[in-house]
Amino acid sequence: MALLNILRYPDPRLHKVASPVTEFNARLETLVADMAETMYDAPGVGLAATQVDVHEQVIVIDTTETHDGLLVFINPEITWSSPEKQVYDEGCLSVPGIYDGVERPARVKVKAVDQHNKPFEMECDGLLAVCIQHEMDHLMGKVFVEYLSPLKRNRIKTKLQKEERALQNSGPRAAGRR
């Protein structure tokens, strides 16, 4: 297993639309394992393949406190959304340190297959419902900050670009000068 690099907003690769998975093989098993390890290490509760620059419809989620409830959604599809909405403070591994309220359906039914191509369907509510919708947005090339006002989105983009420049300027050369 290996830790994967998580793309940071506003990286344009986060806006690529993911393709359906058609081959269920050892490469996919490795991708799922690496994504899970990356998500747990970050730490986060969900990760879409788009966030690690793999543009295939693969999502890993674990909303348990004990990190023993890994769910794998491949080629997920929301088949039903509740009319009731909820606002949940969302964060994102691709938008580190930023949290804001996003309104989404309170409950959803999702149909997918696991990494062994075994189909399943489940109804999700609470954090799991938010998480599956958030990660499915990534597969469609959408980042949660796009639900926010243009002013907030631009402030976040500027802040993250400034942090990225600071990180690049404190790279190996800068570290050697200390």
Side-chain angles (χ1 to χ4, degrees):
M1 293 194 310
L3 291 178
L4 304 171
N5 182 47
I6 298 172
L7 300 176
R8 287 174 55 114
Y9 180 80
D11 191 308
R13 293 172 290 180
L14 288 168
H15 298 293
K16 287 186 181 179
V17 176
S19 300
V21 172
T22 56
E23 292 185 33
F24 293 79
N25 53 27
R27 185 197 63 82
L28 180 64
E29 292 274 343
T30 300
L31 174 63
V32 167
D34 291 349
M35 285 176 61
E37 183 179 2
T38 302
M39 175 189 69
Y40 290 130
D41 182 72
V45 294
L47 187 67
T50 301
Q51 293 176 270
V52 294
D53 203 19
V54 176
H55 302 284
E56 298 175 28
Q57 294 179 9
V58 179
I59 294 170
V60 294
I61 294 175
D62 188 345
T63 58
T64 66
E65 302 226 356
T66 52
H67 301 290
D68 61 357
L70 183 67
L71 299 170
V72 178
F73 297 85
I74 296 176
N75 302 333
E77 177 186 339
I78 291 178
T79 59
W80 174 84
S81 298
S82 69
E84 308 86 46
K85 306 282 186 201
Q86 69 178 10
V87 175
Y88 207 94
D89 255 1
E90 293 188 27
C92 181
L93 296 176
S94 292
V95 191
I98 305 295
Y99 299 88
D100 212 319
V102 175
E103 183 178 72
R104 298 185 184 271
R107 295 185 330 277
V108 294
K109 280 186 187 171
V110 63
K111 177 174 76 170
V113 296
D114 66 14
Q115 66 269 38
H116 309 292
N117 202 16
K118 182 180 173 199
F120 66 95
E121 191 167 0
M122 64 189 302
E123 188 167 332
C124 310
D125 61 6
L127 179 58
L128 182 56
V130 171
C131 201
I132 191 67
Q133 292 173 83
H134 176 110
E135 301 307 334
M136 285 182 69
D137 276 352
H138 278 299
L139 299 181
M140 297 307 299
K142 188 169 185 175
V143 181
F144 93 96
V145 296
E146 293 171 43
Y147 287 99
L148 308 178
S149 72
L151 178 64
K152 278 187 180 181
R153 196 169 45 249
N154 284 333
R155 283 183 178 163
I156 291 166
K157 185 177 184 178
T158 300
K159 178 181 191 254
L160 292 176
Q161 286 172 327
K162 189 175 181 180
E163 288 175 6
E164 188 66 27
R165 280 192 300 275
L167 279 174
Q168 288 173 354
N169 291 337
S170 67
R173 276 186 314 156
R177 285 182 275 177
R178 290 185 192 147

